[in-house]
Amino acid sequence: MDIDRPSDPQVSVVSSDGTMFHTTLKSILLSGTIKDMIEHIGEGGVENMGAIPLQNVDSKTLEIVIKWIEHHKDNIQPTSEEIKDKTADFIDPWDENFLEMDLDKLYNLITAANYLNIPQLLWLSTRKIAMLIKNRTPQEIRSLFNIEDDWTPQEIEAVQKENQWCEEK
Amino acid sequence: MDFIKILPVELSEFILQHLTTRELLNVTLVSKSWNKFISESSNLMKNIKFVFDLINDKFPLTSERKIFLIESPRIYQHLEISRVDTKYLKDIYDIYKLKRNQVKSLKLHHLNFISTKDLADFFGLFNLTVEKIIFGFINVKIIHELDCDEFKNLKSLYLISNESINCSSIFEKCKNLIELYIVGRSKEIKSIKIIVTLLQQNEKLKVLDLSLETGYQILENKEIISKIPFKLHTFRAKIWSKTYFRNFFLSQINSIQTLKLHRIDYLEDLQTIFTMQNLKSVDLGLVQELDLTNINLTLNTSIEHLEFFDMNCKIETIRLIITSAPNTKDMKIFCMTREIMQFVSLKMKSLKSLTMFIPMSYNMNDFPAPIDSVKSILKSTKIKYIFI
């Protein structure tokens, strides 16, 4: 019988650099990748399965991911299909605040959210970068991402003209 | 830290997909590698259309610019070409002959003095990739005998108000159409041949729109109607004749989900439509003054969108239609009286949105149901007025 079984058992994950993190089953199931793994373990396996190794996520990033999934463990998550049509009508202020981090961390978070298959986190973190680009001039974008301006004046003028012929589909 | 260099292609695309088309075009100016990345990404380019328009031309096609366009890394999926002549069409042909084509949709309209041969050559560049063609207001001056290639992937074909509809023979070999629209005005009725050919060859057709202004003869043509052996889910027509109407709908009774007609003249037609149990969206057009003594319509619980013009019909007709489509969520109707509104609020429990067409000439004080009272009766319904 499952009388003594806690409703949200503990699960451990190990980062690529060998750090172990403890979280709960409900939280970790937000990751499509881990959900698939756990479903394959089958009956009675969760408590005895040991720590899940995540070779593509380092400890700094995993800590951030766990903070996010624990905060959202009770929220209904959109599927990756639903995310495609999603518009940014409302962003949870907690998420907005959570994503205040440097570009390096954001890139790692995007890569981890993709690997772990957490559509909502991937959507939020990629959107965060897009927001940094919106309403900026090309020069501002270059400085932000440290990109070299490799255009000649003639070349950029030609692309500007090509763009004038383009319309929204 | 340039994410386009660091992140996998798919993830950089995710980031840029949050931008609008204008913002994305702005981003192409950041660097050559960013421009190249966006230009070659089919996921990002799918929202951008390239427009050749001689009248609004900000960028005339000089020989220098032709070279630039040939060398540009952009791989457009959507092209629109309008108001150009044969020479210009040949220039565009030269450009795309030398580019990797991934064109999925082509819109050509308002072309004059074009020959069918030039058109056929032009389509020959895209016939393997193109999925949608909009071909409208084309006045072909020189008709050639054509030996055209097949459009293997063409799913949607729109033929709109082409003065010389014979140019449509370019499309005679389309065999995989899902949607066929032959709409607008057309001077020639000779086009029956191409319509029959297209209907014969395209058994997978799901959407058929024959809203031709002068298409009475086409729609009355027994040959055409008998060539619809397949199961449509969307059908639109402007003018219909009584003779074939019922037979057509009886053959399509289980498949049609969307129906749009210009007007309803006969009671039998209205009765047939209400027996279509998969019908989700119906626009009856103008409902004529029908004799409704002692008649009933089949209760149709599948209709969610209902639209009709009630200018001439009796209140009994409106009541009958409304009572027979009780699950309507969304209704569009000519302006209503207070009495009808009360009836709607009583019978249509699922109504979420109501659009009313109001003639500009109406004095709002004389309006049969003043707007404030509409809102108080239909409290949980979103109401929109369109002045016509």
Side-chain angles (χ1 to χ4, degrees):
Chain A
M1 294 296 282
D2 277 343
I3 292 167
D4 295 332
R5 187 176 170 171
S7 60
D8 191 7
Q10 219 182 47
V11 178
S12 305
V13 285
V14 182
S15 68
S16 59
D17 44 351
T19 312
M20 190 176 304
F21 292 87
H22 304 288
T23 182
T24 70
L25 183 63
K26 232 174 158 180
S27 314
I28 208 74
L29 286 180
L30 263 53
S31 154
T33 308
I34 296 180
K35 194 175 175 208
D36 285 348
M37 283 186 205
I38 290 178
E39 273 166 9
H40 283 104
I41 293 170
E43 189 65 24
V46 176
E47 287 87 344
N48 306 319
M49 71 182 170
I52 303 169
L54 298 172
Q55 272 133 17
N56 294 337
V57 190
D58 65 27
S59 58
K60 275 185 189 164
T61 311
L62 193 53
E63 194 183 337
I64 297 171
V65 172
I66 287 173
K67 193 175 162 197
W68 190 87
I69 56 177
E70 286 185 349
H71 181 82
H72 286 284
K73 65 177 178 180
D74 295 319
N75 301 346
I76 295 161
Q77 293 294 308
T79 63
S80 44
E81 282 305 305
E82 287 164 345
I83 286 281
K84 276 185 193 157
D85 305 319
K86 195 176 159 88
T87 49
D89 45 359
F90 174 76
I91 307 291
D92 183 344
W94 186 92
D95 284 331
E96 204 76 79
N97 191 40
F98 171 83
L99 289 163
E100 285 304 324
M101 56 183 86
D102 62 38
L103 283 176
D104 219 6
K105 280 189 184 149
L106 264 176
Y107 293 163
N108 286 333
L109 183 61
I110 289 171
T111 314
N114 183 52
Y115 166 69
L116 293 169
N117 187 9
I118 311 174
Q120 173 75 357
L121 183 58
L122 182 61
W123 186 85
L124 282 167
S125 50
T126 50
R127 180 186 169 275
K128 173 73 187 172
I129 308 254
M131 289 300 121
L132 297 173
I133 295 172
K134 260 182 207 274
N135 302 320
R136 301 273 184 126
T137 63
Q139 186 46 46
E140 287 168 336
I141 299 171
R142 281 179 212 122
S143 348
L144 181 67
F145 298 105
N146 200 11
I147 296 165
E148 190 200 344
D149 182 357
D150 53 2
W151 294 110
T152 65
Q154 290 81 6
E155 283 170 341
I156 198 156
E157 196 197 328
V159 178
Q160 276 165 342
K161 284 193 172 141
E162 183 169 6
N163 287 348
Q164 282 179 16
W165 284 24
C166 296
E167 283 178 14
E168 174 134 22
K169 164 67 183 128
Chain B
M1 293 287 278
D2 179 354
F3 61 84
I4 287 180
K5 277 189 189 151
I6 297 172
L7 294 179
V9 171
E10 164 197 59
L11 296 181
S12 295
E13 284 179 344
F14 272 156
I15 293 173
L16 296 172
Q17 275 169 343
H18 289 279
L19 302 174
T20 65
T21 301
R22 275 292 138 207
E23 288 160 351
L24 189 64
L25 288 168
N26 178 49
V27 166
T28 61
L29 302 172
V30 168
S31 72
K32 281 189 199 174
S33 59
W34 276 41
N35 182 43
K36 190 164 183 287
F37 180 83
I38 294 165
S39 299
E40 292 176 349
S41 155
S42 76
N43 281 327
L44 295 170
M45 290 299 287
K46 71 179 174 210
N47 298 319
I48 299 177
K49 179 168 75 174
F50 195 71
V51 183
F52 291 94
D53 183 339
L54 203 59
I55 303 289
N56 290 333
D57 205 349
K58 299 152 190 154
F59 185 11
L61 265 191
T62 58
S63 52
E64 278 172 353
R65 280 164 179 172
K66 266 171 77 173
I67 294 167
F68 168 76
L69 285 180
I70 291 165
E71 287 173 353
S72 158
R74 297 276 167 88
I75 302 173
Y76 291 102
Q77 296 167 33
H78 312 288
L79 282 186
E80 177 174 344
I81 297 162
S82 70
R83 295 177 283 200
V84 306
D85 56 19
T86 277
K87 190 204 157 290
Y88 204 97
L89 193 69
K90 280 183 174 155
D91 284 337
I92 303 171
Y93 175 89
D94 291 342
I95 295 166
Y96 281 90
K97 197 174 61 182
L98 296 166
K99 284 182 80 84
R100 281 175 292 162
N101 287 317
Q102 289 301 324
V103 172
K104 295 209 173 92
S105 85
L106 264 176
K107 185 173 176 180
L108 270 79
H109 58 102
H110 296 93
L111 306 193
N112 268 321
F113 310 109
I114 304 271
S115 77
T116 37
K117 188 178 175 305
D118 289 339
L119 273 177
D121 285 348
F122 181 78
F123 281 117
L125 293 175
F126 308 104
N127 66 334
L128 295 177
T129 55
V130 73
E131 291 169 8
K132 177 178 174 178
I133 291 176
I134 301 175
F135 190 72
F137 306 94
I138 311 284
N139 189 1
V140 164
K141 287 295 177 210
I142 309 154
I143 308 269
H144 290 263
E145 281 295 318
L146 289 175
D147 180 24
C148 292
D149 286 325
E150 199 182 323
F151 291 85
K152 285 203 167 60
N153 287 306
L154 192 65
K155 304 266 185 309
S156 305
L157 177 61
Y158 294 67
L159 300 173
I160 308 165
S161 298
N162 294 315
E163 264 188 54
S164 169
I165 206 161
N166 273 340
C167 57
S168 307
S169 55
I170 293 168
F171 306 109
E172 238 168 18
K173 289 187 185 165
C174 298
K175 287 181 182 155
N176 296 310
L177 292 180
I178 305 289
E179 305 179 338
L180 176 62
Y181 302 79
I182 300 176
V183 302
R185 289 173 186 280
S186 175
K187 283 182 187 163
E188 295 176 60
I189 300 303
K190 281 183 246 163
S191 55
I192 285 183
K193 186 179 158 284
I194 168 83
I195 300 179
V196 172
T197 309
L198 288 171
L199 290 178
Q200 273 172 337
Q201 292 179 167
N202 290 282
E203 288 178 11
K204 285 179 260 170
L205 213 60
K206 291 285 172 220
V207 177
L208 180 60
D209 188 334
L210 294 175
S211 316
L212 273 166
E213 291 280 353
T214 49
Y216 197 74
Q217 291 94 325
I218 294 175
L219 296 172
E220 223 179 21
N221 188 291
K222 201 174 182 175
E223 197 185 0
I224 291 192
I225 299 316
S226 65
K227 291 296 182 293
I228 307 182
F230 34 80
K231 297 293 171 200
L232 295 172
H233 68 61
T234 297
F235 181 76
R236 300 190 193 93
K238 233 173 180 155
I239 302 168
W240 199 269
S241 80
K242 190 181 183 183
T243 332
Y244 301 111
F245 188 95
R246 293 206 70 218
N247 286 343
F248 169 73
F249 283 121
L250 288 171
S251 76
Q252 301 287 325
I253 211 155
N254 293 317
S255 67
I256 285 192
Q257 292 176 15
T258 305
L259 185 62
K260 190 177 164 91
L261 299 166
H262 189 60
R263 62 167 205 251
I264 288 283
D265 290 337
Y266 307 103
L267 192 59
E268 294 90 338
D269 298 344
L270 194 61
Q271 286 179 314
T272 310
I273 290 167
F274 272 82
T275 55
M276 295 183 164
Q277 290 300 329
N278 289 314
L279 195 61
K280 283 206 168 66
S281 168
V282 60
D283 179 353
L284 301 168
L286 202 64
V287 180
Q288 301 294 312
E289 200 164 335
L290 306 171
D291 179 17
L292 295 165
T293 329
N294 298 325
I295 80 126
N296 273 316
L297 294 179
T298 312
L299 190 68
N300 191 317
T301 51
S302 65
I303 295 176
E304 291 179 2
H305 173 95
L306 176 66
E307 188 169 342
F308 61 100
F309 249 60
D310 57 351
M311 282 171 92
N312 297 320
C313 69
K314 293 176 185 162
I315 191 163
E316 289 78 18
T317 314
I318 302 175
R319 279 171 173 262
L320 187 68
I321 291 172
I322 289 170
T323 320
S324 308
N327 290 347
T328 302
K329 288 182 182 146
D330 171 28
M331 182 162 73
K332 287 184 182 156
I333 186 172
F334 203 67
C335 57
M336 304 197 294
T337 63
R338 198 183 165 84
E339 192 189 356
I340 290 288
M341 263 162 15
Q342 265 159 344
F343 191 72
V344 166
S345 68
L346 213 65
K347 294 287 176 185
M348 292 177 145
K349 296 289 182 204
S350 325
L351 198 68
K352 297 267 183 304
S353 94
L354 172 69
T355 307
M356 265 199 273
F357 299 101
I358 300 169
M360 288 294 253
S361 56
Y362 264 51
N363 180 341
M364 291 309 281
N365 296 327
D366 302 340
F367 185 58
I371 288 171
D372 287 347
S373 72
V374 176
K375 284 178 187 153
S376 65
I377 293 171
L378 296 164
K379 281 191 190 93
S380 55
T381 308
K382 216 163 111 184
I383 300 166
K384 198 175 150 193
Y385 303 97
I386 294 179
F387 293 91
I388 53 170

